Amino acid sequence: MTGTEHPALAAPPGLADLRRAAHAATAPEVWDFVEGGSGWETTLSANRAAFDGVSLVPRVMTAAGSADCGGRLLGSDVAAPLLVAPMAYQRLLHPDGELAAARAAREAGVPFVLSTLSSHSVEAVVETGADVWFQLYWLRERQAREELVAGAERLGCRALVVTVDVPVMGRRWRDVTNGFTLPPHVRAALLGPGLDDLAHRPASGVSAVAAHTRSLFRVPSLSELEELRRRTELPLVVKGILDPQDARRAVECGADAVVVSNHGGRQLDGAVPAVAQLPAVVEAVGGQCDVLLDSGVRTGTDVLRALALGAAGVLLGRPVLWGLAADGEKGVARVLSVVRDELRESMLIAGCADLAAAARLRTRRWGQGD
């Protein structure tokens, strides 16, 4: 699969030139790491197909002469219901990596979710002035895990996002075929000395990054999640939910928000598209926490679809990396601007003056009722 173009990942017109520039500027094995999914990449494709199958029913004569896409997420004002998704090792794509993406998020007025596998320190990213949420992979070693949480709290991160869908990394055949290994200049900056050595150790037919993840991370139990809720005052977000039962269990553990996500098609191949599960999860939590959506978002219209299906906001992933690889901070800024402007225009055409009106839009799926 190395070097192939996956039809599910073709960029929308407003971002197509950025994606082409990113592809040209990126080493083939890094491009495969960014764009690839697990298994046969069926879930990767299904994420897009599911979005394309959601049709909006616009309103007319609503006196919506303008559209305001500003709102609030977990108590913070945002210019649009967008977050930059947590993505690992962004220095693979640009020397400034997470710093460039965070600065662009700050200027766009949207939160930046920093990965445990960041290639820049929490302190450096927070110093950009961005609204930083910290994503936590559940390290097997308790002390190291608690130090990460304490650092996020001390340095001013605004929320804690716990990823619960990676007991092991999904088998990503592009990375296996490439024997993908981190280059020497890209390190897991938040882990202790030597804790990312395995990600730099090449072996034929092995993804070193997957081997590294398997050695360090697991998923928390419900009791461990409850303990974390008791120990931290930060808003708690649980990421990687698809089953409504799991959403209810997250709420019972004290989650302030859940993220409906299949990890961008990078974990269980054959898993249901995230957007297809969104209405059921929204119904299951019954307004007891915010519901966010991740996986497959490419356009402002996708954001509007998610809002109409009950999401409070969406996480934007791969398009941000296209912008980063193509033109650093300016590239990411352009991606966020295009998506925000598309959302505003789509809201106006659909007769929505604000996010509350967007949430009231009706949707249809081909061959189904309202």
Side-chain angles (χ1 to χ4, degrees):
M1 302 178 76
T2 304
T4 59
E5 287 296 306
H6 200 291
L9 295 175
L15 301 177
D17 60 331
L18 272 181
R19 184 174 181 272
R20 284 192 296 269
H23 193 183
T26 304
E29 67 275 10
V30 173
W31 186 253
D32 279 345
F33 174 68
V34 168
E35 295 285 79
S38 61
W40 282 37
E41 301 187 347
T42 53
T43 295
L44 187 67
S45 299
N47 279 335
R48 264 318 318 159
F51 262 111
D52 292 339
V54 176
S55 297
L56 295 162
V57 182
R59 298 298 308 277
V60 296
M61 299 180 290
T62 61
S66 62
D68 179 7
C69 58
R72 291 177 68 79
L73 291 174
L74 293 188
S76 294
D77 292 330
V78 293
L82 291 171
L83 306 94
V84 173
M87 294 172 286
Y89 305 123
Q90 292 180 31
R91 286 194 69 200
L92 285 167
L93 298 160
H94 188 277
D96 287 347
E98 291 84 1
L99 303 180
R103 289 192 295 261
R106 178 199 66 207
E107 292 304 310
V110 300
F112 177 83
V113 188
L114 180 68
S115 172
T116 294
L117 295 175
S118 170
S119 48
H120 284 282
S121 70
V122 177
E123 184 174 15
V125 175
V126 169
E127 285 178 351
T128 66
D131 181 359
V132 179
W133 298 13
F134 181 69
Q135 177 267 335
L136 178 68
Y137 279 123
W138 203 262
L139 273 68
R140 295 178 184 276
E141 208 280 299
R142 183 184 180 112
Q143 182 177 347
R145 183 174 70 241
E146 291 181 350
E147 287 175 355
L148 283 178
V149 173
E153 293 171 331
R154 182 179 68 256
L155 293 168
C157 293
R158 301 290 294 275
L160 191 60
V161 181
V162 181
T163 295
V164 296
D165 62 351
V166 187
V168 296
M169 185 179 285
R171 189 176 296 266
R172 301 169 192 173
W173 282 108
R174 301 197 203 195
D175 296 345
V176 171
T177 301
N178 292 332
F180 183 66
T181 305
L182 289 185
H185 71 282
V186 177
R187 311 292 307 194
L190 311 190
L191 303 182
L195 286 184
D196 67 348
D197 285 354
L198 196 56
H200 294 85
R201 193 175 301 162
S204 178
V206 174
S207 165
V209 172
H212 171 247
T213 299
R214 186 178 299 111
S215 72
L216 283 186
F217 302 147
R218 62 177 177 85
V219 296
S221 66
L222 289 174
S223 61
E224 287 174 322
L225 198 61
E226 289 171 344
E227 180 185 2
L228 177 63
R229 171 69 289 171
R230 290 191 296 269
R231 291 170 64 92
T232 184
E233 295 182 0
L234 292 176
L236 181 64
V237 183
V238 179
K239 180 178 181 289
I241 298 290
L242 290 172
D243 192 301
Q245 296 178 77
D246 292 332
R248 285 193 292 269
R249 294 198 301 169
V251 170
E252 291 166 0
C253 289
D256 298 285
V258 297
V259 182
V260 181
S261 170
N262 58 35
H263 218 97
R266 292 162 73 82
Q267 279 301 101
L268 176 64
D269 194 35
V272 64
V275 72
Q277 287 299 99
L278 178 57
V281 170
V282 170
E283 181 179 6
V285 303
Q288 296 179 76
C289 75
D290 283 344
V291 179
L292 307 174
L293 178 73
D294 168 82
S295 302
V297 178
R298 295 291 180 269
T299 70
T301 302
D302 290 342
V303 180
L304 184 56
R305 287 163 162 153
L307 297 175
L309 291 171
V314 306
L315 283 72
L316 191 63
R318 286 181 178 93
V320 168
L321 298 183
W322 300 340
L324 182 63
D327 198 14
E329 179 182 343
K330 291 181 180 178
V332 177
R334 182 176 160 199
V335 168
L336 297 175
S337 176
V338 165
V339 174
R340 183 187 62 238
D341 290 349
E342 286 179 344
L343 170 61
R344 185 181 295 114
E345 183 177 90
S346 296
M347 288 173 60
L348 185 58
I349 294 171
C352 302
D354 53 26
L355 298 184
R360 294 192 295 269
L361 279 180
R362 289 179 144 193
T363 64
R364 292 179 66 91
R365 294 181 185 272
W366 289 112
Q368 299 181 7
D370 290 353

